[in-house]
Amino acid sequence: MFSFVSLPRPGRRALWEASLALGLVLAVVLTCKMSSFCALADQVRENTLRLHVQANSDSAADQALKLAVRDAILEELGPRFAAAESEAQAAAIAQESLPELEDCVRRTLDAAHSELAVRVYLTEMYFDTTCYEDFTLPAGRYQALRVELGAHAGKNWFCVLYPGLCLPAAQGAVYPTEAQQGLVESPGVEVRFAALEWWQHLTGAAG
């Protein structure tokens, strides 16, 4: 006589989430093969220079200091970046301006009576999908101007130096092509970017 063991059935929510995740991944794979979606996402990343400021900690004082540093950088050196006509030119400006950028940050900290260590440098780093008010950037590796304050263990602040989307002096700045600009402004693009990000983490591309 046979005895059957009854296995627990997965909950409907778990099944729904798994099905949704699989559907999103398949949608991204098919989109990448059948359209220019992934190619455009690559172009957006290649044509973006990001600004990344990481606070010493999540204390109110350190977070306020992070924002003061952000404001000082954008006010003092923003016009220089606003004149850039390409990501490469913006990156070159950042590289040439590193001593001035560090001095700007240190003066801001001195004014706040802070003795935190400062590190300012250009690097390539991974960003998750980022939604701003008027546009969304796909997850992936970007060239970034990174500012580390102290232990740089707190919440960060980031925006875009090229195109000058976070520069007051460069309002209306856009990506080099209409297709790239259209991608980051597409309604509902967050869903496709989220699926792409999930796939990158799954395959190790986010490392």
Side-chain angles (χ1 to χ4, degrees):
M1 192 168 182
F2 294 100
S3 175
F4 294 93
V5 178
S6 179
L7 297 176
R9 298 177 63 185
R12 290 185 177 181
R13 181 176 179 81
L15 284 173
W16 179 83
E17 290 178 346
S19 299
L20 178 61
L22 179 60
L24 288 174
V25 171
L26 289 175
V28 169
V29 172
L30 290 174
T31 301
C32 287
K33 289 183 177 180
M34 299 174 63
S35 76
S36 59
F37 175 74
C38 285
L40 278 175
D42 286 342
Q43 291 172 24
V44 166
R45 287 187 285 265
E46 291 169 1
N47 284 289
T48 301
L49 176 65
R50 302 181 75 151
L51 172 62
H52 186 260
V53 183
Q54 188 158 19
N56 177 57
S57 75
D58 285 334
S59 72
D62 282 340
Q63 287 296 310
L65 196 55
K66 172 192 72 177
L67 297 179
V69 166
R70 170 202 68 183
D71 292 343
I73 289 174
L74 295 180
E75 179 179 356
E76 188 165 327
L77 295 166
R80 194 175 301 181
F81 287 104
E85 298 181 352
S86 68
E87 188 278 337
Q89 190 175 66
I93 291 171
Q95 186 66 52
E96 294 167 1
S97 303
L98 287 178
E100 293 172 75
L101 286 162
E102 183 171 334
D103 181 65
C104 173
V105 175
R106 290 191 182 282
R107 282 188 279 107
T108 304
L109 297 184
D110 288 344
H113 307 290
S114 170
E115 297 181 354
L116 289 175
V118 174
R119 186 184 180 200
V120 183
Y121 61 103
L122 268 178
T123 187
E124 184 182 273
M125 58 186 294
Y126 184 86
F127 289 85
D128 289 333
T129 300
T130 311
C131 297
Y132 296 93
E133 185 176 347
D134 300 317
F135 65 99
T136 303
L137 292 182
R141 301 192 69 81
Y142 288 81
Q143 186 86 340
L145 173 62
R146 182 169 165 84
V147 181
E148 296 176 350
L149 303 177
H152 53 92
K155 292 185 178 68
N156 55 53
W157 180 90
F158 42 84
C159 198
V160 182
L161 290 173
Y162 181 85
L165 298 170
C166 67
L167 302 177
Q171 291 182 357
V174 296
Y175 278 89
T177 69
E178 291 184 8
Q180 293 171 41
Q181 188 69 23
L183 180 70
V184 301
E185 293 179 345
S186 296
V189 74
E190 296 92 340
V191 175
R192 287 183 290 167
F193 283 164
L196 180 59
E197 178 182 334
W198 187 88
W199 181 255
Q200 289 171 342
H201 282 285
L202 183 66
T203 59

